[in-house]
Amino acid sequence: MDDRILEASLYTIKAVAILDNDGERIISRYYDDTFATVKEQREFEKNLFQKTSRQNAEIIMLDGLTVVYRSNVDLYFYVMGSQYENELILVSVLNAFFDAVSTMLRKNVEKRFLMDHLDVVLLAIDELVDGGVILEADSNNIVQRVAVKTDADVPLTEQTVAQVLQSAKEQLKWSLLK
Amino acid sequence: MLKKEKKDEEGGKSSNPFQNLDKSTVLQESRVFNETPINTRKCIHILCKVIYLINQGVQFGTTEATETFFAMTKLFQSKDITLRRMCYLAIKELANIAEDVIIVTSSLTKDMTGKEDMFRASAIRALCKITDSQMLTGIERYMKQAIVDRNASVSSASLVSSLHLLKPNFDVVKRWVNEAQEAVSNDNVMVQYHGLGLLYHVKQNDKLAVSKLITKLSRQTLKSPYAYCLLVRIAAKYIDEDPESTENAALYDFLESCLRQKSELVIYEAARALVNLKNIKTKDLQPAVSVLQLFLSSPRPTLRFAAVRTLNKVAILQPQSVMTCNLDLENLITDVNRSIATLAITTLLKTGSENSVDR
């Protein structure tokens, strides 16, 4: 088979991952056997983190994969595909992924908050990609389908003063840290 | 000292409630599943922990996994949406480790055909994950119905699941092509994409059927950019496999027309397909190269990367076609993304003349 042309297939995504700012895995899903063992996956993630954490370049080629990524505060979001994959498709998936998580976490895309709502994030990834096939690439649809009521969903008027102050403080803190 | 330690522990806990999770503790905790009434929040949290552990690469033994799995089936009594969805997720995670997972078949079939739209799509996906070829004929009827369901997420879920089932159950799934065909004319962008995908995966080896598929769809307007990308790939492969075919002129026109689409996804896919065709003539390369040249000055790094990478390939075989882009490429030498800069330099080395090196 000529390697310049990618086989027409629905199997597009090789992996998605969220790493923290030490390069440790928070969640990663691998959809084929590019990396056969967890050990290989972790090694790849370490390597990937090293290459991507310092420069915000959005796209990188690594170990025969095309990887697109985005970072926010202390989190790194990755979407990976074959090196012959249409890069723009991968980016559209990454954006849907990031935007969906961001909406569901009420813009608090940071590790502590994400860990508190890990169930929601797991469900979002499940709605995003199914076994390597892009299932939904519209962040609004993903949020709608996950339809999880988090604490953050309580309308502002119904929150206690303490809650409002707390969230205001958080937002200020992170905007200063950025 | 003691106080400080305690504080540290609390601090660590709030930053990551999943740190230092122990498998046996979590398994112990999962006994809560058997309690009535069901404590929804607690159960969701424990399921989350189980999935997290598996995701971190912790190995579960068959017995442990099976026990957890069976305890989890009790949770189907609850009507809570999130809890149910977490169950589906856990079923999929444990399906390959636990034994006798088919025990949930009837629960899932019930959810799949039930009234609650929030359950149906993900129930289908979980069900297809635990289904073997013997059971597949039992749910075939439901699958066919689900593919043509009015709810887009149900339709997409069943199409994608059918695709996963295709390899081991080709003879069963190929009977669903009429339904898949109907999905291709669906208004939903993802359903259309998944429908076309399944259709192609079924017909892949039947050259005549593929040719008919391309001819028919290339005359229609599709709504989904993803479907277009797929169709472009199918068409390009078809041209490459049979360069002498009489239909190629029409297919070539189709590829070129995709260069004028609205979506960048499709434009790039078409440009890429054209420049990679084996028997492309130099003059026919020009429209694709011009499109890629426009992408070179995009503010978005991915677009620049995609364009320069593709042009780099063209430059290997046909350096003179890329020469028109030299000025834009020179601007990329100092790009913040090192991969883009490197690709720009290597491309210029193939196309540039002495005076451009001087600059």
Side-chain angles (χ1 to χ4, degrees):
Chain A
M1 182 66 211
D2 193 332
D3 68 350
R4 289 179 309 162
I5 293 200
L6 192 72
E7 194 66 30
S9 162
L10 276 189
Y11 293 102
T12 317
I13 308 297
K14 293 211 178 260
V16 295
I18 304 179
L19 305 182
D20 70 8
N21 57 351
D22 298 319
E24 282 301 318
R25 168 192 291 194
I26 294 178
I27 307 169
S28 13
R29 307 237 132 186
Y30 289 82
Y31 299 108
D32 66 4
D33 41 16
T34 313
F35 303 101
T37 61
V38 179
K39 197 170 155 250
E40 283 173 41
Q41 293 174 2
R42 295 235 178 206
E43 260 164 36
F44 171 73
E45 284 164 21
K46 280 257 139 57
N47 195 2
L48 178 65
F49 182 75
Q50 248 175 15
K51 295 247 158 54
T52 53
S53 57
R54 262 165 283 148
Q55 53 167 344
N56 206 358
E58 204 179 289
I59 185 162
I60 188 175
M61 308 272 299
L62 191 65
D63 292 351
L65 295 180
T66 303
V67 184
V68 293
Y69 63 100
R70 265 174 93 164
S71 65
N72 198 40
V73 194
D74 52 1
L75 292 174
Y76 289 82
F77 289 73
Y78 298 91
V79 170
M80 296 151 233
S82 143
Q83 57 178 319
Y84 307 110
E85 191 46 68
N86 182 334
E87 296 89 342
L88 306 183
I89 291 183
L90 297 179
V91 166
S92 73
V93 175
L94 175 71
N95 288 339
F97 181 26
F98 185 88
D99 293 343
V101 171
S102 174
T103 313
M104 290 187 302
L105 299 183
R106 285 273 173 131
K107 303 243 182 330
N108 295 304
V109 185
E110 41 141 326
K111 188 178 174 188
R112 200 181 59 85
F113 215 79
L114 185 116
M115 289 318 270
D116 287 342
H117 299 90
L118 195 64
D119 49 349
V120 182
V121 180
L122 286 169
L123 290 176
I125 296 180
D126 186 52
E127 292 295 333
L128 181 78
V129 180
D130 184 310
V133 179
I134 306 167
L135 191 62
E136 180 57 70
D138 181 319
S139 62
N140 292 326
N141 286 346
I142 294 173
V143 173
Q144 214 182 2
R145 284 178 197 176
V146 173
V148 169
K149 283 225 166 10
T150 58
D151 303 336
D153 280 338
V154 180
L156 204 59
T157 46
E158 286 168 33
Q159 287 181 7
T160 65
V161 180
Q163 272 177 323
V164 175
L165 271 178
Q166 179 63 29
S167 72
K169 240 193 253 169
E170 288 285 317
Q171 278 182 4
L172 188 68
K173 189 174 89 192
W174 287 117
S175 63
L176 287 175
L177 277 176
K178 240 180 248 173
Chain B
M1 181 67 194
L2 222 153
K3 203 176 173 188
K4 189 176 171 262
E5 252 175 33
K6 202 180 166 209
K7 203 180 164 195
D8 277 349
E9 204 191 336
E10 273 175 0
K13 222 178 173 185
S14 74
S15 81
N16 185 356
F18 294 87
Q19 216 160 37
N20 307 321
L21 263 190
D22 178 47
K23 181 175 71 171
S24 46
T25 325
V26 175
L27 289 174
Q28 196 90 34
E29 283 179 323
S30 67
R31 297 207 178 136
V32 178
F33 296 165
N34 290 312
E35 283 174 12
T36 38
I38 293 164
N39 183 338
T40 313
R41 272 199 91 81
K42 206 167 168 189
C43 290
I44 292 175
H45 194 59
I46 295 167
L47 283 177
C48 205
K49 283 183 187 169
V50 172
I51 297 169
Y52 179 78
L53 281 180
I54 296 176
N55 199 260
Q56 289 293 317
V58 175
Q59 295 287 330
F60 278 66
T62 312
T63 330
E64 301 170 323
T66 311
E67 260 172 46
T68 316
F69 192 88
F70 273 76
M72 195 179 66
T73 55
K74 306 273 185 351
L75 299 179
F76 270 86
Q77 291 160 19
S78 164
K79 287 269 174 281
D80 185 86
I81 292 181
T82 311
L83 180 57
R84 185 69 61 95
R85 299 284 290 269
M86 289 304 280
C87 283
Y88 297 145
L89 211 54
I91 289 172
K92 287 195 275 187
E93 292 294 318
L94 293 169
N96 299 326
I97 320 170
E99 280 175 337
D100 300 323
V101 288
I102 50 168
I103 190 100
V104 286
T105 305
S106 63
S107 305
L108 290 174
T109 319
K110 214 173 109 199
D111 283 351
M112 164 186 179
T113 51
K115 282 205 186 86
E116 180 62 82
D117 270 349
M118 293 305 293
F119 291 164
R120 287 165 66 212
S122 25
I124 290 171
R125 293 197 283 136
L127 181 62
C128 288
K129 182 91 189 185
I130 59 162
T131 298
D132 56 20
S133 35
Q134 282 177 331
M135 282 158 53
L136 190 60
T137 36
I139 58 162
E140 183 175 2
R141 185 162 57 98
Y142 303 121
M143 285 303 288
K144 280 183 166 180
Q145 273 167 15
I147 291 176
V148 292
D149 197 275
R150 256 182 300 173
N151 184 311
S153 67
V154 173
S155 182
S156 272
S158 43
L159 285 164
V160 173
S161 299
S162 312
L163 180 66
H164 296 324
L165 290 168
L166 184 62
K167 238 191 187 151
N169 308 287
F170 189 83
D171 289 325
V172 180
V173 177
K174 82 170 185 214
R175 295 201 287 257
W176 308 347
V177 286
N178 287 337
E179 282 78 9
Q181 186 83 55
E182 207 175 314
V184 177
S185 38
N186 196 297
D187 278 342
N188 182 287
V189 288
M190 291 322 277
V191 174
Q192 186 170 65
Y193 171 56
H194 296 140
L196 174 60
L198 180 61
L199 211 54
Y200 177 66
H201 278 279
V202 172
K203 296 186 171 179
Q204 214 163 9
N205 296 319
D206 179 352
K207 218 158 176 263
L208 190 68
V210 172
S211 141
K212 272 189 196 159
L213 184 72
I214 313 173
T215 319
K216 187 176 161 224
L217 289 178
S218 58
R219 287 194 196 119
Q220 259 169 271
T221 18
L222 301 173
K223 283 218 160 129
S224 163
Y226 295 103
Y228 262 118
C229 287
L230 193 60
L231 192 58
V232 165
R233 273 182 215 180
I234 299 171
K237 188 169 175 251
Y238 190 85
I239 298 179
D240 255 0
E241 274 176 1
D242 191 2
E244 302 304 320
S245 168
T246 45
E247 296 156 66
N248 284 359
L251 291 182
Y252 180 82
D253 285 345
F254 164 68
L255 291 183
E256 203 172 20
S257 76
C258 285
L259 291 175
R260 293 183 293 275
Q261 283 271 335
K262 256 190 297 177
S263 162
E264 278 166 350
L265 283 182
V266 185
I267 299 174
Y268 172 58
E269 187 73 50
R272 220 168 58 131
L274 281 167
V275 301
N276 280 326
L277 285 178
K278 273 187 209 139
N279 291 354
I280 184 115
K281 294 182 197 76
T282 312
K283 75 168 172 37
D284 294 334
L285 264 177
Q286 224 42 56
V289 170
S290 325
V291 163
L292 292 170
Q293 185 175 11
L294 284 179
F295 284 176
L296 285 178
S297 46
S298 159
R300 290 167 51 201
T302 309
L303 222 52
R304 298 199 298 275
F305 178 87
V308 73
R309 193 156 82 104
T310 314
L311 287 171
N312 187 39
K313 278 193 218 151
V314 182
I316 298 173
L317 297 172
Q318 310 226 22
Q320 71 285 5
S321 319
V322 188
M323 257 150 80
T324 45
C325 307
N326 277 3
L327 265 178
D328 300 271
L329 286 168
E330 280 168 34
N331 290 332
L332 293 181
I333 291 178
T334 50
D335 200 283
V336 280
N337 185 322
R338 237 178 293 160
S339 321
I340 297 179
T342 316
L343 281 167
I345 294 169
T346 51
T347 314
L348 280 171
L349 286 177
K350 288 168 199 124
T351 63
S353 53
E354 271 173 48
N355 50 26
S356 69
V357 174
D358 281 344
R359 279 204 303 262

